[in-house]
């Protein structure tokens, strides 16, 4: 296979798909190269929460990016359904961040006040109000931060919808093809070397999730990232036990279609091992029972694990490498890659098209932070 494109994207997860979709829509000739099957890694494992206010509690560039991305979902859901025929399962019923200790209660009340100052909707629910929303929750809960605009999607469906919509717009999707190197001429990216041949392109975008750092390092390019494994399980119930996503430190419960309940997730640093451990699962089960006692009677469905891509400073990398013209990187989305995927695709496409972007915001995710490229 020797082919030539405007852009070649390495990695068919949610971020590769989102970028492929945006660029193909704008008329670029795009190839999306996936080592295995589309969306088979973190983007398949994810619970699909759009937790802009739940996960990110401090004001800063990541919070701003997350809010912008969250706002894109309603229109995107319609657009992707129309193009790909896939329903991404967008649910806008809000999230509840529950407090199990007086310290958490105090902390969450401060977050509510800060987020309100930033113009976001959120309020505190005392236990009796909380029970009106979610009667099955445990009596041990001391109240909850209610976040009406943090929703959820089906992460695998979103990832597949991006890739399929990109294909409808003319992108070539190439599965079971591993990128093993980069074609670099005088410091400029000219394409990729795969296990089935070379693919030439003016721009190369690495979106290989937790494997991005490894692939780049094997080719002498250093970015400061590390993997964080996460395990989840799901159960089935005849009637849904909860309506809203319930989030707490160390455990969340996400109600899906058909009485499915996804419980996640563990956090194990510096491993690419995708096995599910008994220790990880039993810890999650214990926490889930404390939050939602009725889960004990639910029917077991399955368990799985995925590897999140994290950076040393906790911010994703979105931009062109300063030393290699035409080599772009979008990774390090850590726990929020599903939430951040729409804005990641949009920003990379805007930057490549040299459209005006919010430069102040983007600087925080660019290679200007030198720690990202120092070994
Ligand atoms: C258990 C768990 C729960 C999560 N829950 C949420 C959540 O609720 N909300 C949220 O926003 N985020 C969540 N996340 C985080 C989110 O899943 C990730 O941030 C996101 O999926 C990263 O997407 P990606 O496209 O960058 O990487 P990935 O989905 O990992 O995709 C990278 C792709 O690149 C491919 N690849 C790797 N190397 C090569 C190569 N050399 N050549 C070609 N292809 C290659 C891989 O096969 C893979 O398909 C969760 C993650 C985990 C693990």
């Amino acid at each position: 296979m020797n082919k030539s494109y405007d852009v070649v994207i390495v990695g068919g997860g949610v971020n590769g798909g989102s970028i492929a979709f945006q660029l193909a829509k704008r008329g670029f000739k795009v190839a999306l190269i996936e080592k295995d099957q589309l969306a088979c890694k973190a983007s398949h494992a994810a619970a699909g929460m759009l937790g802009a206010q739940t996960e990110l509690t401090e004001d800063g560039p990541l919070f701003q990016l997350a809010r912008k991305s969250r706002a894109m979902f309603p229109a995107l859901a319609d657009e992707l359904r129309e193009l790909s025929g896939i329903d991404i399962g967008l649910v806008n019923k809000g999230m509840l961040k529950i407090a199990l200790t007086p310290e958490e209660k105090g902390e969450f009340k401060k977050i509510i006040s800060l987020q309100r100052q930033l113009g976001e909707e959120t309020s505190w629910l005392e236990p009796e109000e909380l029970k009106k929303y979610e009667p099955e929750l445990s009596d041990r809960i001391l109240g909850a931060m209610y976040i009406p605009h943090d929703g959820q999607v089906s992460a695998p469906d979103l990832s597949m919808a991006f890739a399929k919509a990109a294909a409808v717009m003319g992108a070539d999707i190439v599965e079971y093809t591993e990128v093993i190197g980069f074609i670099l001429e005088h410091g400029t990216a000219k394409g990729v070397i795969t296990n089935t041949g070379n693919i030439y392109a003016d721009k190369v975008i690495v979106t290989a999730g937790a494997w991005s750092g490894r692939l780049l390092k094997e080719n002498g390019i250093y970015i400061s990232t590390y993997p964080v494994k996460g395990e989840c399980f799901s159960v089935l119930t005849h009637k849904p036990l909860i309506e809203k996503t319930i989030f707490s430190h160390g455990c969340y419960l996400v109600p899906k279609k058909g009485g499915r309940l996804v419980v996640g997730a563990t956090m194990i640093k510096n491993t690419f091992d995708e096995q599910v451990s008994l220790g990880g699962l039993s810890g999650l089960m214990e926490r889930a029972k404390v939050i939602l006692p009725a889960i004990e009677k639910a029917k077991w469905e399955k368990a799985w694990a995925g590897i999140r891509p994290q950076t040393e400073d906790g911010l994703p990398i979105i931009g062109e490498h300063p030393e290699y013209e035409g080599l772009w990187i979008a990774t390090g989305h850590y726990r929020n890659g599903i939430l951040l995927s729409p804005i990641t695709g949009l920003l990379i496409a805007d930057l490549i098209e040299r459209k005006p972007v919010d430069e102040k915001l983007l600087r925080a995710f660019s290679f200007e932070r030198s720690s990202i490229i120092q070994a």
Side-chain angles (χ1 to χ4, degrees):
M1 173 177 66
N2 264 353
K3 282 195 164 179
S4 171
Y5 292 88
D6 297 326
V7 182
V8 61
I9 301 169
V10 184
V14 74
N15 284 304
S18 174
I19 295 167
F21 168 58
Q22 285 290 342
L23 286 170
K25 201 165 91 168
R26 298 172 193 209
F28 286 84
K29 204 173 158 209
V30 174
L32 178 63
I33 313 296
E34 167 55 45
K35 177 179 166 181
D36 200 320
Q37 276 178 315
L38 286 173
C40 64
K41 296 293 185 184
S43 303
H44 197 268
M49 293 177 293
L50 307 178
Q53 288 171 255
T54 315
E55 287 262 356
L56 306 165
T57 50
E58 285 170 21
D59 189 18
L62 190 53
F63 187 54
Q64 288 173 36
L65 195 75
R67 289 193 294 171
K68 279 179 193 256
S69 202
R70 184 184 62 182
M72 292 171 68
F73 274 91
L76 188 68
D78 292 343
E79 191 181 11
L80 291 178
R81 190 185 309 105
E82 213 164 282
L83 285 169
S84 69
I86 298 173
D87 177 358
I88 66 166
L90 178 63
V91 176
N92 272 323
K93 290 189 176 156
M95 283 174 71
L96 292 163
K97 186 166 178 167
I98 55 159
L100 285 161
T101 64
E103 290 74 28
E104 283 180 342
K105 185 172 168 178
E107 183 198 332
F108 296 173
K109 284 190 170 180
K110 279 191 206 143
I111 296 170
I112 289 172
S113 149
L114 172 86
Q115 292 193 348
R116 281 185 173 166
Q117 282 168 31
L118 296 169
E120 289 299 327
E121 237 181 277
T122 173
S123 55
W124 177 255
L125 299 180
E126 291 296 341
E128 54 284 6
E129 295 168 282
L130 179 61
K131 284 269 186 176
K132 280 188 210 151
Y133 281 111
E134 299 292 358
E136 293 289 348
L137 288 182
S138 152
D139 294 336
R140 286 174 59 177
I141 299 171
L142 304 179
M145 181 177 167
Y146 173 42
I147 304 147
H149 301 305
D150 274 0
Q152 55 139 320
V153 292
S154 159
D157 287 331
L158 173 67
S159 309
M160 292 306 290
F162 272 136
K164 201 162 170 196
V168 169
M169 290 291 172
D172 278 353
I173 311 290
V174 186
E175 290 179 293
Y176 302 107
T177 301
E178 183 177 2
V179 171
I180 51 177
F182 303 98
I183 305 167
L184 299 167
E185 287 174 13
H186 311 293
T188 301
K190 296 284 180 194
V192 294
I193 303 161
T194 79
N195 57 350
T196 58
N198 292 353
I199 303 176
Y200 296 93
D202 297 332
K203 310 236 178 304
V204 173
I205 309 176
V206 178
T207 57
W211 295 268
S212 304
R214 202 150 81 173
L215 171 65
L216 288 160
K217 195 174 169 193
E218 282 164 6
N219 288 277
I221 302 166
Y222 181 82
I223 58 164
S224 182
T225 57
Y226 60 92
V228 183
K229 171 176 166 176
E231 296 152 304
C232 290
F233 69 89
S234 59
V235 294
L236 301 166
T237 57
H238 286 302
K239 84 176 176 48
L241 296 178
I242 49 173
E243 193 183 61
K244 301 183 190 311
T245 295
I246 310 297
F247 187 97
S248 84
H249 282 313
C251 179
Y252 51 72
L253 299 104
V254 189
K256 298 286 180 185
K257 274 193 298 205
R260 260 187 100 220
L261 191 57
V262 171
V263 180
T266 57
M267 308 266 283
I268 305 149
K269 283 186 187 177
N270 294 320
T271 177
F272 284 99
D273 166 27
E274 290 171 278
Q275 303 283 326
V276 178
S277 71
L278 193 65
L281 280 195
S282 60
L284 282 179
M285 285 175 190
E286 284 311 314
R287 280 192 282 274
K289 281 192 289 179
V290 168
I291 297 166
L292 187 67
I295 200 171
E296 220 165 17
K297 298 214 167 64
K299 196 173 133 196
W300 175 258
E301 192 191 37
K302 59 182 175 179
W304 62 92
I307 311 293
R308 311 173 183 94
Q310 174 63 310
T311 59
E312 292 297 341
D313 65 4
L315 299 175
I317 303 170
I318 302 173
E320 189 175 17
H321 196 285
E323 287 159 23
Y324 301 95
E325 200 188 325
L327 178 65
W328 294 72
I329 296 166
T331 191
H333 296 75
Y334 189 41
R335 287 175 60 109
N336 293 298
I338 304 302
L339 166 66
L340 297 171
S341 58
I343 196 83
T344 300
L346 190 80
L347 284 174
I348 292 271
D350 282 351
L351 284 165
I352 284 181
E353 269 201 308
R354 307 228 174 271
K355 276 194 165 178
V357 289
D358 183 343
E359 283 183 22
K360 191 165 163 253
L361 179 65
L362 259 175
R363 204 164 295 139
F365 308 109
S366 75
F367 283 92
E368 276 188 34
R369 43 212 245 263
S370 54
S371 60
I372 287 298
I373 47 172
Q374 276 164 14

